[in-house]
Amino acid sequence: MDTEFGSSTRAVRAPDPRLRPLMYRDLYGFDLRRAGFSSWLEPPRPAVTLMIDLEGSIRADGERLPSAWVGGLGERLTVVGFGGGDYMSVDIELTPLGAYTVLGRPLADLAGECVALEDALAPGGRELADRLREERDWDARFDVLERFLIGRVAVGPAPTPAVAWAD
């Protein structure tokens, strides 16, 4: 889509049914070219963000983010910006229980923080980012991402029945 704000392509796909209960929204990717803006406000959401830059980089409140990261739950607006060039990424949002299962750690560890994906997911995070960057189309990227997430869910912790019921 071409607008006065630049040219962008969005890729959206419903997740595999096994992942649907863990996802805050569908699988999402975007490719922004010739942006006519350099920043925007991101409101807090009841979701944990997993972002992998495929091209370019972004900043949060003026600080450059890792090229692949996990953002924990927060309570405030964030000013997100980029250098005004081209930017492409895969942007996944997990429910809190989904993030607990995929990350295998208490969400309190990530509250209000942005953590490099390789730190949050050990070596698997770097491998995932590299594999997504190697793929050349959105369906292939989403296939890689789904296989990775399904694998993490298979070995990740499950919430206690009381916590799952409260969700």
Side-chain angles (χ1 to χ4, degrees):
M1 169 184 2
D2 289 320
T3 71
E4 67 273 16
F5 298 113
S7 174
S8 66
T9 302
R10 293 178 191 208
V12 180
R13 185 168 95 184
D16 180 289
R18 293 170 287 181
L19 296 173
R20 206 164 284 143
L22 309 175
M23 306 297 292
Y24 181 72
R25 67 165 189 217
D26 288 344
L27 305 174
Y28 182 81
F30 62 92
D31 185 357
L32 179 62
R33 304 288 157 180
R34 301 178 315 280
F37 61 95
S38 62
S39 65
W40 64 93
L41 286 176
E42 261 315 307
R45 286 190 280 283
V48 172
T49 301
L50 186 154
M51 180 88 76
I52 298 171
D53 299 338
L54 303 174
E55 181 178 342
S57 63
I58 58 175
R59 298 179 180 279
D61 294 329
E63 304 241 354
R64 185 175 175 163
L65 298 178
S67 63
W69 52 271
V70 174
L73 298 171
E75 298 177 351
R76 62 180 181 77
L77 289 169
T78 302
V79 177
V80 178
F82 60 101
D86 297 337
Y87 181 70
M88 182 170 32
S89 73
V90 173
D91 180 356
I92 303 304
E93 293 190 355
L94 299 165
T95 65
L97 289 181
Y100 171 69
T101 300
V102 168
L103 299 173
R105 64 197 295 180
L107 295 188
D109 293 354
L110 299 171
E113 298 293 324
C114 177
V115 176
L117 195 59
E118 63 189 71
D119 295 336
L121 295 173
R126 179 178 295 176
E127 292 167 14
L128 173 63
D130 290 344
R131 297 251 351 261
L132 290 175
R133 290 181 187 120
E134 290 170 2
E135 297 298 341
R136 295 291 156 225
D137 67 70
W138 291 110
D139 279 330
R141 289 178 186 121
F142 291 152
D143 289 345
V144 167
L145 182 61
E146 284 181 321
R147 281 192 301 273
F148 177 84
L149 293 173
I150 289 167
R152 294 290 298 194
V153 169
V155 299
T160 64
V163 171
W165 175 84
D167 183 49

